[in-house]
Amino acid sequence: MLAGRLHVAGRALRMESVPVPEPGRGQVRIKVAAAGVCLSDVHLIDGTLTPLYLPGDVVTLGHEVAGTVDALGDGVEWWQPGQRVLLQAGERDRRGTVLTRGVDYDGGWAEYALAREDTLVQIPDALPFEQACIIPDAVSTPWAAVTDTARTRPGEAVGVWGVGGLGAHAVQLLLLVGAAPIIAVDPLPAARDRALTLGADVALDPRDDGFKDAVLELTDARGLDVAFDFAGVTPVREQALTVLGRRGRLVLAGIASQPVTIASDSRFNYLRQAVLGHYGSEAEHVDQLVTLAAQGRLDLTASVSDVLPLAEAAEAVRRVHDKAGNPIRLILRP
């Protein structure tokens, strides 16, 4: 079968022919129908990220995967060939270590993929594979940030910095939980336009001289209850802290690998503010989102920017890296 394989030592993505994997005990083989291309995949290729638990030097990329059950390993009782499923983006080993699909073990940039039986989630017939595959990570990461880490409540004023693959979904999800106003912040005009289309109340350019005044006017001088950094850029954190209100929470969903600086601890402490780290999501968040999509509460149609053949994975990576066409998510189809 064809697979997109990352050779870690040389940071080379190669489309290779490899044997179709056989499911072991407790495993299910999936015939892949769609796999998302994430910025994390790009960072694995360019060396910004490195697998921590990969046993070896080569891995099939792809942690956003959906398809149909193809074959069952010994002991699998709850799945049947032909069932439509998505795969959780990772799993815990016996020691509780979180292993990421397509990073620490083979993922879904391939015609077939293996998954432990408890990491499959059944999806309804009405949910296209191209939309289902991005629920783990692209949608579940901001959903977990909004509902779990930030515990956003209805009527809270929120700011979303970075309206890309994660931030675009955050806008939709914040609308779903009743946050108001939703203020999108992005230097790119196309991203700001997209935010407004997806439900943001206003979209601001962070470079505008009147940025802080605009946020205070929109929040009746209270400032933001929650500020989400989906950009992973130090200036974003610094700017967000200047417009955070009493008991405001700054949620670091983007990773900058840089120190977080609080300019004034007296103001920070007096206003009882908080900086909260966030990473990924749990299985329950994916389950919740599948339910919301099945009930028609969440429409991910606009999230699929383009679909490319698996053989063109390198081109998809280039487009994500260069932000060509300002994509939310590009999808690979075997």
Side-chain angles (χ1 to χ4, degrees), residues 179-240:
I182 301 170
I183 303 170
V185 186
D186 200 292
L188 299 177
R192 296 198 297 273
D193 291 342
R194 178 167 63 199
L196 294 172
T197 301
L198 293 173
D201 295 291
V202 66
L204 302 178
D205 186 336
R207 301 166 298 186
D208 286 350
D209 292 337
F211 175 84
K212 182 176 181 179
D213 291 338
V215 172
L216 293 177
E217 182 177 354
L218 289 163
T219 59
D220 295 326
R222 293 184 296 110
L224 298 176
D225 295 297
V226 191
F228 294 94
D229 169 22
F230 287 105
V233 179
T234 296
V236 164
R237 287 106 184 253
E238 296 172 348
Q239 184 176 58

Side-chain angles (χ1 to χ4, degrees), residues 256-275:
S257 298
Q258 297 294 326
V260 177
T261 302
I262 297 172
S264 170
D265 61 348
S266 59
R267 180 180 185 277
F268 185 84
N269 292 347
Y270 177 73
L271 294 178
R272 299 184 182 183
Q273 295 172 340
V275 177

Side-chain angles (χ1 to χ4, degrees), residues 83-104:
Q83 287 180 298
R84 304 175 80 253
V85 297
L86 61 76
L87 308 185
Q88 297 280 5
E91 61 186 48
R92 293 183 185 274
D93 66 13
R94 295 177 180 178
R95 296 171 295 180
T97 302
V98 177
L99 305 178
T100 302
R101 188 183 310 280
V103 179
D104 301 306

Side-chain angles (χ1 to χ4, degrees), residues 1-7 12-21 30 32 35 45 58-62 65 102 105-114 309-314 317 332-334:
M1 68 173 186
L2 184 66
R5 306 273 281 168
L6 171 64
H7 292 253
L13 172 64
R14 299 174 187 166
M15 304 308 298
E16 300 176 341
S17 179
V18 299
V20 174
I30 306 301
V32 177
I45 296 169
V58 184
V59 65
T60 299
L61 294 174
V65 190
Y105 60 100
D106 286 342
W109 287 13
E111 295 178 63
Y112 294 89
L114 295 182
L310 173 62
E312 296 181 17
V317 168
L332 298 176
R333 180 185 291 159

Side-chain angles (χ1 to χ4, degrees), residues 307-319:
V307 179
L308 292 81
L310 173 62
E312 296 181 17
E315 170 62 12
V317 168
R318 184 197 66 77
R319 287 169 59 176

Side-chain angles (χ1 to χ4, degrees), residues 287-298:
D287 293 335
Q288 292 163 1
L289 290 164
V290 170
T291 298
L292 289 169
Q295 294 295 323
R297 304 291 180 87
L298 179 63

